[in-house]
mmCIF file of all heavy atoms in Angstrom:
data_model
loop_
_atom_site.group_PDB
_atom_site.id
_atom_site.type_symbol
_atom_site.label_atom_id
_atom_site.label_comp_id
_atom_site.label_asym_id
_atom_site.label_seq_id
_atom_site.Cartn_x
_atom_site.Cartn_y
_atom_site.Cartn_z
ATOM 1 N N LEU V 332 -240.672 78.881 124.055
ATOM 2 C CA LEU V 332 -241.837 78.957 123.191
ATOM 3 C C LEU V 332 -241.983 80.350 122.590
ATOM 4 O O LEU V 332 -242.246 80.496 121.392
ATOM 5 C CB LEU V 332 -243.098 78.586 123.987
ATOM 6 C CG LEU V 332 -244.407 78.622 123.196
ATOM 7 C CD1 LEU V 332 -244.357 77.642 122.025
ATOM 8 C CD2 LEU V 332 -245.593 78.305 124.121
ATOM 9 N N ARG V 333 -241.781 81.371 123.461
ATOM 10 C CA ARG V 333 -241.869 82.732 122.945
ATOM 11 C C ARG V 333 -240.767 83.003 121.933
ATOM 12 O O ARG V 333 -240.986 83.696 120.927
ATOM 13 C CB ARG V 333 -241.766 83.726 124.101
ATOM 14 C CG ARG V 333 -241.949 85.175 123.691
ATOM 15 C CD ARG V 333 -241.943 86.076 124.899
ATOM 16 N NE ARG V 333 -243.025 85.723 125.817
ATOM 17 C CZ ARG V 333 -243.224 86.321 127.003
ATOM 18 N NH1 ARG V 333 -242.384 87.267 127.400
ATOM 19 N NH2 ARG V 333 -244.225 85.947 127.764
ATOM 20 N N ALA V 334 -239.570 82.431 122.181
ATOM 21 C CA ALA V 334 -238.478 82.617 121.231
ATOM 22 C C ALA V 334 -238.808 81.970 119.892
ATOM 23 O O ALA V 334 -238.518 82.513 118.819
ATOM 24 C CB ALA V 334 -237.186 82.053 121.798
ATOM 25 N N VAL V 335 -239.412 80.758 119.943
ATOM 26 C CA VAL V 335 -239.792 80.080 118.709
ATOM 27 C C VAL V 335 -240.805 80.915 117.928
ATOM 28 O O VAL V 335 -240.735 81.057 116.698
ATOM 29 C CB VAL V 335 -240.335 78.677 119.015
ATOM 30 C CG1 VAL V 335 -240.933 78.041 117.756
ATOM 31 C CG2 VAL V 335 -239.227 77.804 119.576
ATOM 32 N N GLN V 336 -241.771 81.446 118.678
ATOM 33 C CA GLN V 336 -242.760 82.291 118.022
ATOM 34 C C GLN V 336 -242.109 83.503 117.354
ATOM 35 O O GLN V 336 -242.473 83.903 116.246
ATOM 36 C CB GLN V 336 -243.804 82.757 119.042
ATOM 37 C CG GLN V 336 -244.682 81.637 119.578
ATOM 38 C CD GLN V 336 -245.610 82.110 120.669
ATOM 39 O OE1 GLN V 336 -245.413 83.175 121.253
ATOM 40 N NE2 GLN V 336 -246.614 81.291 120.955
ATOM 41 N N ARG V 337 -241.117 84.058 118.028
ATOM 42 C CA ARG V 337 -240.428 85.208 117.452
ATOM 43 C C ARG V 337 -239.666 84.818 116.193
ATOM 44 O O ARG V 337 -239.641 85.545 115.205
ATOM 45 C CB ARG V 337 -239.470 85.808 118.472
ATOM 46 C CG ARG V 337 -238.754 87.043 117.948
ATOM 47 C CD ARG V 337 -237.883 87.672 119.014
ATOM 48 N NE ARG V 337 -237.185 88.835 118.490
ATOM 49 C CZ ARG V 337 -236.316 89.557 119.194
ATOM 50 N NH1 ARG V 337 -236.056 89.221 120.450
ATOM 51 N NH2 ARG V 337 -235.723 90.595 118.643
ATOM 52 N N VAL V 338 -239.043 83.607 116.251
ATOM 53 C CA VAL V 338 -238.343 83.127 115.060
ATOM 54 C C VAL V 338 -239.315 82.981 113.888
ATOM 55 O O VAL V 338 -239.018 83.372 112.762
ATOM 56 C CB VAL V 338 -237.623 81.795 115.359
ATOM 57 C CG1 VAL V 338 -237.104 81.171 114.067
ATOM 58 C CG2 VAL V 338 -236.478 82.030 116.326
ATOM 59 N N GLU V 339 -240.485 82.402 114.176
ATOM 60 C CA GLU V 339 -241.465 82.235 113.111
ATOM 61 C C GLU V 339 -241.909 83.593 112.556
ATOM 62 O O GLU V 339 -242.090 83.751 111.347
ATOM 63 C CB GLU V 339 -242.678 81.461 113.639
ATOM 64 C CG GLU V 339 -242.395 80.012 113.960
ATOM 65 C CD GLU V 339 -241.938 79.243 112.741
ATOM 66 O OE1 GLU V 339 -242.487 79.498 111.643
ATOM 67 O OE2 GLU V 339 -241.039 78.393 112.853
ATOM 68 N N THR V 340 -242.068 84.558 113.455
ATOM 69 C CA THR V 340 -242.451 85.899 113.002
ATOM 70 C C THR V 340 -241.376 86.506 112.115
ATOM 71 O O THR V 340 -241.651 87.084 111.058
ATOM 72 C CB THR V 340 -242.706 86.813 114.212
ATOM 73 O OG1 THR V 340 -243.734 86.251 115.014
ATOM 74 C CG2 THR V 340 -243.126 88.203 113.754
ATOM 75 N N GLU V 341 -240.127 86.353 112.566
ATOM 76 C CA GLU V 341 -239.027 86.908 111.783
ATOM 77 C C GLU V 341 -238.921 86.200 110.431
ATOM 78 O O GLU V 341 -238.673 86.833 109.392
ATOM 79 C CB GLU V 341 -237.712 86.777 112.553
ATOM 80 C CG GLU V 341 -237.632 87.621 113.806
ATOM 81 C CD GLU V 341 -237.697 89.102 113.489
ATOM 82 O OE1 GLU V 341 -237.192 89.493 112.415
ATOM 83 O OE2 GLU V 341 -238.255 89.860 114.294
ATOM 84 N N LYS V 342 -239.110 84.872 110.460
ATOM 85 C CA LYS V 342 -239.063 84.126 109.198
ATOM 86 C C LYS V 342 -240.151 84.602 108.237
ATOM 87 O O LYS V 342 -239.929 84.733 107.034
ATOM 88 C CB LYS V 342 -239.214 82.625 109.476
ATOM 89 C CG LYS V 342 -238.002 81.997 110.120
ATOM 90 C CD LYS V 342 -238.303 80.601 110.639
ATOM 91 C CE LYS V 342 -238.679 79.660 109.516
ATOM 92 N NZ LYS V 342 -238.917 78.285 110.015
ATOM 93 N N SER V 343 -241.327 84.863 108.793
ATOM 94 C CA SER V 343 -242.425 85.353 107.952
ATOM 95 C C SER V 343 -242.079 86.706 107.345
ATOM 96 O O SER V 343 -242.324 86.958 106.163
ATOM 97 C CB SER V 343 -243.705 85.444 108.782
ATOM 98 O OG SER V 343 -244.749 85.992 108.016
ATOM 99 N N LYS V 344 -241.498 87.575 108.169
ATOM 100 C CA LYS V 344 -241.115 88.893 107.652
ATOM 101 C C LYS V 344 -240.082 88.768 106.536
ATOM 102 O O LYS V 344 -240.160 89.474 105.523
ATOM 103 C CB LYS V 344 -240.558 89.756 108.784
ATOM 104 C CG LYS V 344 -241.596 90.191 109.806
ATOM 105 C CD LYS V 344 -240.960 91.055 110.879
ATOM 106 C CE LYS V 344 -241.987 91.495 111.918
ATOM 107 N NZ LYS V 344 -241.376 92.317 112.979
ATOM 108 N N PHE V 345 -239.124 87.885 106.740
ATOM 109 C CA PHE V 345 -238.084 87.741 105.720
ATOM 110 C C PHE V 345 -238.633 87.117 104.441
ATOM 111 O O PHE V 345 -238.177 87.431 103.343
ATOM 112 C CB PHE V 345 -236.911 86.917 106.261
ATOM 113 C CG PHE V 345 -236.008 87.691 107.165
ATOM 114 C CD1 PHE V 345 -235.865 87.349 108.499
ATOM 115 C CD2 PHE V 345 -235.306 88.786 106.683
ATOM 116 C CE1 PHE V 345 -235.036 88.079 109.326
ATOM 117 C CE2 PHE V 345 -234.474 89.513 107.505
ATOM 118 C CZ PHE V 345 -234.342 89.171 108.842
ATOM 119 N N ARG V 346 -239.616 86.197 104.593
ATOM 120 C CA ARG V 346 -240.230 85.640 103.388
ATOM 121 C C ARG V 346 -240.954 86.731 102.589
ATOM 122 O O ARG V 346 -240.896 86.756 101.362
ATOM 123 C CB ARG V 346 -241.195 84.511 103.775
ATOM 124 C CG ARG V 346 -240.524 83.193 104.069
ATOM 125 C CD ARG V 346 -241.545 82.059 104.070
ATOM 126 N NE ARG V 346 -242.511 82.220 105.149
ATOM 127 C CZ ARG V 346 -242.383 81.704 106.351
ATOM 128 N NH1 ARG V 346 -241.306 80.991 106.638
ATOM 129 N NH2 ARG V 346 -243.314 81.880 107.268
ATOM 130 N N VAL V 347 -241.642 87.618 103.297
ATOM 131 C CA VAL V 347 -242.316 88.737 102.617
ATOM 132 C C VAL V 347 -241.294 89.626 101.921
ATOM 133 O O VAL V 347 -241.483 90.053 100.773
ATOM 134 C CB VAL V 347 -243.141 89.558 103.629
ATOM 135 C CG1 VAL V 347 -243.678 90.835 102.978
ATOM 136 C CG2 VAL V 347 -244.293 88.723 104.169
ATOM 137 N N ALA V 348 -240.189 89.895 102.622
ATOM 138 C CA ALA V 348 -239.146 90.734 102.015
ATOM 139 C C ALA V 348 -238.568 90.069 100.770
ATOM 140 O O ALA V 348 -238.299 90.727 99.760
ATOM 141 C CB ALA V 348 -238.042 91.009 103.027
ATOM 142 N N ARG V 349 -238.372 88.722 100.856
ATOM 143 C CA ARG V 349 -237.830 88.007 99.699
ATOM 144 C C ARG V 349 -238.808 88.052 98.517
ATOM 145 O O ARG V 349 -238.418 88.281 97.378
ATOM 146 C CB ARG V 349 -237.540 86.554 100.082
ATOM 147 C CG ARG V 349 -236.953 85.723 98.955
ATOM 148 C CD ARG V 349 -236.926 84.265 99.340
ATOM 149 N NE ARG V 349 -238.280 83.788 99.603
ATOM 150 C CZ ARG V 349 -238.550 82.609 100.156
ATOM 151 N NH1 ARG V 349 -237.571 81.800 100.531
ATOM 152 N NH2 ARG V 349 -239.802 82.246 100.361
ATOM 153 N N ASP V 350 -240.092 87.830 98.818
ATOM 154 C CA ASP V 350 -241.089 87.859 97.751
ATOM 155 C C ASP V 350 -241.182 89.247 97.112
ATOM 156 O O ASP V 350 -241.350 89.377 95.896
ATOM 157 C CB ASP V 350 -242.458 87.453 98.303
ATOM 158 C CG ASP V 350 -242.489 85.993 98.722
ATOM 159 O OD1 ASP V 350 -241.603 85.239 98.248
ATOM 160 O OD2 ASP V 350 -243.367 85.627 99.520
ATOM 161 N N MET V 351 -241.075 90.285 97.938
ATOM 162 C CA MET V 351 -241.119 91.648 97.400
ATOM 163 C C MET V 351 -239.924 91.912 96.487
ATOM 164 O O MET V 351 -240.066 92.560 95.446
ATOM 165 C CB MET V 351 -241.141 92.669 98.543
ATOM 166 C CG MET V 351 -242.436 92.672 99.342
ATOM 167 S SD MET V 351 -242.386 93.827 100.733
ATOM 168 C CE MET V 351 -242.124 95.362 99.855
ATOM 169 N N ALA V 352 -238.762 91.375 96.904
ATOM 170 C CA ALA V 352 -237.585 91.575 96.060
ATOM 171 C C ALA V 352 -237.711 90.831 94.743
ATOM 172 O O ALA V 352 -237.337 91.335 93.688
ATOM 173 C CB ALA V 352 -236.328 91.118 96.804
#
Side-chain angles (χ1 to χ4, degrees):
L332 180 60
R333 184 176 300 177
V335 171
Q336 293 175 343
R337 182 176 179 182
V338 170
E339 291 299 321
T340 301
E341 293 297 327
K342 288 168 63 178
S343 176
K344 290 181 180 179
F345 282 116
R346 280 195 295 268
V347 172
R349 181 190 61 191
D350 292 341
M351 291 177 61

